[in-house]
Amino acid sequence: MGSVKTADHKVEQTSDDYSLDRVPRDKRNMGWLTITNITFGIATAIFYFQMGSVMALQFGAINAIISAVYAIIVAGILGTFIAYLSAKSGMNVNLLSRGGGFGYIGASLTSFIYATNFIMYCALEGLILVSAVHTFFPVIPEWVLIVFFGTIVIPLNWFGIKQLDKLQKWSLPIFFVFLIAAIVMAFNTPSVYGGSFWTFMPEGVQVGGTALLLCIGMQHGIMGLTPLLASDYARFLKPKDLKIGSLAIGFIPQIFCFGVMGGLGIWFGVRLGEPNPGVYIVLLLGIGGVLFTMLTQIRINITNIYSGSLSLSNFFENIFKFKPGRRFWVVVTGVAAIILMLSGIVDYLTAVMTFQGVFLLTWAAILVTDALIVKKLLKIGPAYYEAKQGNLFKWNPVGVISLIVASGLGTIAALGFMGTFLQSTAAFFAAILAAILTVILAVYTKGNYYIKKESNDVSKEDYIA
């Protein structure tokens, strides 16, 4: 019986995915290709089709294309730096925030908002799937589909990162088969627009100006998420793959998200004159379209549930000392997403995405500025990331004040109170402001709030400065 207990304990340990501490160096044993493959779970979401189609039909294809290039560059640079910090330290962004300018209570608040972001996206992606299946099988009530598809991703998350790798690996080829079939079918469908798709421009709309700014504003709603998400997986990267891995994990998913999926969304939208992929994928592929939608949405929601569960685990351990294990939070995240779906989250989507975009890009900017300028260049605070509560202050004004001020002003700008230009560039404006405030506050406080006492068990190889 003793050996069974030990085995069970071992399974629990390996499946817990180090949600509350750095990944030990001997557990960082995943190649960069494997981790990039896992991050493709988010890159293959139909949501990017929808963004591309909506932007092209409302603001013109060329404006949508320019905004996609902008999104790839900005999110790719942030993603590369965050993947590097994560792989070097063995920590995800929730843990990096503790020693990266927020303190352990400050970091737990970012974790909670981050978790709500994943729950919201899980609900949104789930509703795209429900809508596609309900279109094809209207006899099944929507609430039944919501409960079914909301529940199915819970067991798929049970065994952590290794299981995620397998699921994403076997499902990716199937995804590409469906994607190619949809492209071929669209090619064989007469286009509603006579010219080349990139020349499509609605009446009264011009290249650049307000239309381009509105496209960039839409991209900001998701641009903050993809760089931060990479950290949940990059912390398992083999140390020898650090440089190539950081670049691949930082850029490849962004190129696929905004370039390939967003670009195809622009093409599908203009060619078929329809902004909703839940409609045009089913029209192109019939029952195959339903299966394609099912596959993509389950792939993305597995990653949403995984990251949401890690963030909730971090928050409740910090604030309430409640540590039931990651699997408990997998269930909570899944159930919360089902509740949001049933209560019609889509009705409040624009407002929620505006705030999330501002908050996430601001948070990413603070983490990167703290690492590159505060720790590396100015040598303020420790050269490593501290995760242990006993060695940390509850609050560090450097990150906390920067985040509150910048995301607060960014949200006001995004709501239109500072003019059209800042309304559309609110998340970028907030990120730049946060970076400046981070440096000013770090210099002003002389780094006194980073750690209460030095840690003597952090390997020199985990130091980032």
Side-chain angles (χ1 to χ4, degrees):
M1 288 297 286
S3 63
V4 173
K5 244 183 194 176
T6 310
D8 285 348
H9 179 68
K10 195 173 176 189
V11 169
E12 181 57 38
Q13 283 298 99
T14 54
S15 68
D16 200 36
D17 286 325
Y18 307 98
S19 53
L20 305 174
D21 204 353
R22 74 178 70 237
V23 176
R25 289 192 75 79
D26 64 328
K27 300 289 183 188
R28 296 177 212 169
N29 50 19
M30 297 179 82
W32 67 270
L33 266 173
T34 298
I35 292 176
T36 306
N37 170 60
I38 296 172
T39 62
F40 259 69
I42 188 167
T44 55
I46 278 182
F47 179 72
Y48 297 103
F49 278 171
Q50 188 156 14
M51 276 182 66
S53 299
V54 168
M55 283 190 289
L57 291 173
Q58 283 188 13
F59 309 116
I62 198 72
N63 287 321
I65 291 166
I66 295 167
S67 76
V69 173
Y70 162 83
I72 290 167
I73 293 167
V74 176
I77 291 169
L78 279 176
T80 299
F81 281 124
I82 286 169
Y84 176 84
L85 297 175
S86 180
K88 190 93 170 86
S89 63
M91 298 177 174
N92 67 0
V93 284
N94 296 314
L95 290 172
L96 287 176
S97 297
R98 291 185 180 189
F102 289 88
Y104 74 86
I105 297 291
S108 65
L109 295 180
T110 62
S111 294
F112 185 71
I113 299 174
Y114 193 41
T116 62
N117 173 83
F118 285 111
I119 292 166
M120 182 201 78
Y121 277 113
C122 189
L124 175 64
E125 303 287 1
L127 284 171
I128 290 175
L129 171 52
V130 166
S131 147
V133 177
H134 188 67
T135 303
F136 211 80
F137 300 108
V139 69
I140 306 173
E142 281 197 354
W143 71 266
V144 172
L145 294 170
I146 286 171
V147 172
F148 176 73
F149 289 117
T151 307
I152 203 170
V153 286
I154 294 172
L156 293 176
N157 248 289
W158 211 245
F159 296 106
I161 191 141
K162 299 289 184 189
Q163 184 185 17
L164 287 191
D165 176 37
K166 285 177 187 161
L167 285 165
Q168 303 293 28
K169 204 172 272 175
W170 69 254
S171 60
L172 193 61
I174 303 170
F175 163 81
F176 278 117
V177 169
F178 276 124
L179 183 61
I180 292 162
I183 294 168
V184 170
M185 291 299 291
F187 255 121
N188 293 326
T189 304
S191 176
V192 273
Y193 175 64
S196 301
F197 82 95
W198 61 83
T199 62
F200 174 80
M201 194 69 71
E203 207 169 318
V205 176
Q206 293 176 319
V207 177
T210 308
L212 177 59
L213 287 174
L214 287 167
C215 285
I216 286 171
M218 283 180 74
Q219 299 284 21
H220 281 154
I222 190 84
M223 270 170 58
L225 175 69
T226 46
L228 290 165
L229 180 72
S231 76
D232 286 332
Y233 312 104
R235 63 205 174 112
F236 291 97
L237 185 69
K238 288 176 183 173
K240 73 179 182 69
D241 286 355
L242 183 65
K243 286 182 181 169
I244 186 173
S246 301
L247 198 62
I249 296 162
F251 265 98
I252 292 173
Q254 321 300 341
I255 291 166
F256 204 84
C257 288
F258 303 107
V260 178
M261 295 294 281
L264 281 170
I266 295 167
W267 180 72
F268 280 133
V270 172
R271 188 170 184 86
L272 305 168
E274 170 59 58
N276 187 347
V279 173
Y280 61 67
I281 293 294
V282 173
L283 283 174
L284 289 171
L285 298 177
I287 188 70
V290 176
L291 294 172
F292 179 48
T293 309
M294 202 178 293
L295 180 74
T296 60
Q297 301 317 92
I298 288 173
R299 278 170 59 82
I300 173 67
N301 270 351
I302 291 168
T303 58
N304 281 333
I305 295 265
Y306 179 74
S307 293
S309 68
L310 290 180
S311 300
L312 284 178
S313 175
N314 195 283
F315 173 75
F316 281 90
E317 189 261 343
N318 276 353
I319 303 289
F320 302 108
K321 303 289 179 281
F322 181 52
K323 295 189 269 190
R326 190 188 62 84
R327 289 173 179 170
F328 174 84
W329 295 115
V330 164
V331 176
V332 170
T333 308
V335 170
I338 292 169
I339 292 167
L340 279 184
M341 284 192 268
L342 291 169
S343 58
I345 178 68
V346 173
D347 300 340
Y348 310 99
L349 188 61
T350 307
V352 175
M353 274 191 76
T354 298
F355 172 72
Q356 296 284 15
V358 168
F359 168 79
L360 293 172
L361 218 57
T362 304
W363 183 22
I366 291 168
L367 287 175
V368 171
T369 305
D370 175 78
L372 297 184
I373 299 176
V374 176
K375 283 183 168 61
K376 222 171 172 69
L377 198 65
L378 301 176
K379 307 292 182 198
I380 295 172
Y384 61 90
Y385 285 105
E386 180 57 78
K388 293 189 178 70
Q389 284 191 18
N391 297 344
L392 288 161
F393 286 96
K394 286 185 177 180
W395 303 93
N396 184 344
V398 174
V400 174
I401 292 174
S402 300
L403 186 73
I404 291 169
V405 172
S407 57
L409 287 172
T411 303
I412 290 167
L415 294 172
F417 293 108
M418 295 186 184
T420 310
F421 179 76
L422 280 181
Q423 181 173 11
S424 301
T425 57
F428 192 70
F429 155 70
I432 298 293
L433 178 60
I436 295 165
L437 286 172
T438 299
V439 176
I440 292 169
L441 288 164
V443 171
Y444 179 74
T445 60
K446 300 184 175 68
N448 289 332
Y449 296 92
Y450 278 85
I451 49 167
K452 275 201 291 195
K453 63 178 182 184
E454 291 271 345
S455 200
N456 53 13
D457 62 348
V458 179
S459 163
K460 279 277 189 285
E461 291 161 313
D462 285 353
Y463 279 38
I464 59 121

